[in-house]
Amino acid sequence: MRPVVAGPAVRAGLWFLAFTEVVVGAWALFAPAWFYVGFPAPGHPWVSLLPPYNEHLVRDVGALSLALTVALVGAALRPERRLTVVVLLAFLTATVPHAVFHSLHLHGFPAVDAVAQTVGFALQLGVGVAVLVATLRVGVSHRRVVHSSE
């Protein structure tokens, strides 16, 4: 039996998540000081609002984000149910506590930055959960078809 492969919406969600991870990962790994003072955009230094700077930790975050990128790209290129579920669970395992931490540490953030950061995390989490649910549904509907044709 061929593995269940997800449709274009799942692939698009995986590519979106991979894009968000590669931007953060490459920037933090290869330019940690610039990432610290400039993420996500000039005049909006979200990372430096949570001092102190630690090059080692910023590079580690970058490397881990790039590792998630590799997994997300792999799932996007071959969105088999089991692979996609495992990759999304890994993504959510990293992203949920990251989002919770940042949501609880918004003191000192200008209101526009606090809202933008929270919306960004909500978007990432929403896409991750939606893609996971869609992937799980593909597997369920496939099993129903297989069982009904037996």
Side-chain angles (χ1 to χ4, degrees):
M1 183 166 73
R2 288 183 56 223
V4 177
V5 178
V10 167
R11 285 180 186 236
L14 291 165
W15 282 115
F16 169 78
L17 296 175
F19 174 76
T20 63
E21 290 300 319
V22 77
V23 169
V24 169
W27 191 352
L29 180 61
F30 299 114
W34 182 35
F35 178 83
Y36 181 77
V37 298
F39 182 84
H44 303 276
W46 295 352
V47 181
S48 63
L49 290 172
L50 299 168
Y53 172 68
N54 183 313
E55 180 181 353
H56 172 225
L57 292 179
V58 173
R59 286 186 188 272
D60 282 356
V61 166
L64 292 170
S65 289
L66 289 178
L68 278 175
T69 300
V70 169
L72 289 160
V73 167
L77 292 173
R78 191 161 176 92
E80 297 170 357
R81 184 175 187 265
R82 287 181 185 154
L83 172 63
T84 303
V85 168
V86 169
V87 168
L88 289 167
L89 289 174
F91 170 80
L92 291 169
T93 298
T95 305
V96 168
H98 188 201
V100 169
F101 176 86
H102 282 284
S103 297
L104 297 174
H105 294 87
L106 293 171
H107 54 280
F109 275 65
V112 69
D113 290 313
V115 169
Q117 179 178 269
T118 303
V119 167
F121 276 121
L123 179 62
Q124 243 190 343
L125 290 170
V127 169
V129 169
V131 173
L132 179 60
V133 168
T135 301
L136 292 171
R137 284 187 179 158
V138 167
V140 169
S141 65
H142 177 74
R143 279 196 294 271
R144 285 185 191 143
V145 170
V146 169
H147 292 305
S148 66
S149 65
E150 293 177 343

